Amino acid sequence: AFPNPFNSSTFVLFQLDKTRDVSLNIYNTLGQNIKTLLDESRAAGNHKIRWDGRDEFSKDVGSGVYFVKLETGEQIFSKKILLVR
C-alpha cells in the first residue's frame, strides 16, 4: 500500500502473472471485514486499487491499524496499514 501511513486515501498495488479471481479486503484489528475493494476476475499485469478510508456504508473509519488482505485463489497476502486522521 502506498502511501503508508496515510491520511485520506491509499493505493494497493499488486501484480498478477495470469488471469485470476481476486479478492481484496480491508480488516480492522478485531478481524472484522471493513470494506471489500475487489471481488472479481482480473487479467495478468499490474493493478492499482484505491481505498479512501471508508467502510462498506461509505462512513469514515477511525484512525488506527488496518489490514489489507489479497487472495488470488492460490495465494494469500496481507499487509498492515496505518490510517492517521
Side-chain angles (χ1 to χ4, degrees), residues 6-24:
F6 70 101
N7 182 309
S8 59
S9 68
T10 189
F11 291 92
V12 178
L13 310 169
F14 62 95
Q15 182 177 13
L16 300 173
D17 61 347
K18 62 182 180 179
T19 299
R20 298 182 183 274
D21 291 334
V22 177
S23 175
L24 182 62

Side-chain angles (χ1 to χ4, degrees), residues 18-70:
K18 62 182 180 179
T19 299
R20 298 182 183 274
D21 291 334
V22 177
S23 175
L24 182 62
N25 295 286
I26 305 294
Y27 293 89
N28 64 15
T29 55
L30 299 176
Q32 298 166 319
N33 187 353
I34 300 299
K35 177 80 174 184
T36 297
L37 299 176
L38 190 63
D39 191 16
E40 63 187 33
S41 182
R42 285 287 173 123
N46 296 318
H47 300 273
K48 182 177 176 180
I49 308 295
R50 180 178 175 264
W51 181 44
D52 60 3
R54 296 176 187 260
D55 65 13
E56 291 289 354
F57 306 103
S58 296
K59 295 187 179 192
D60 288 338
V61 298
S63 295
V65 174
Y66 294 89
F67 296 90
V68 178
K69 183 178 178 184
L70 174 70

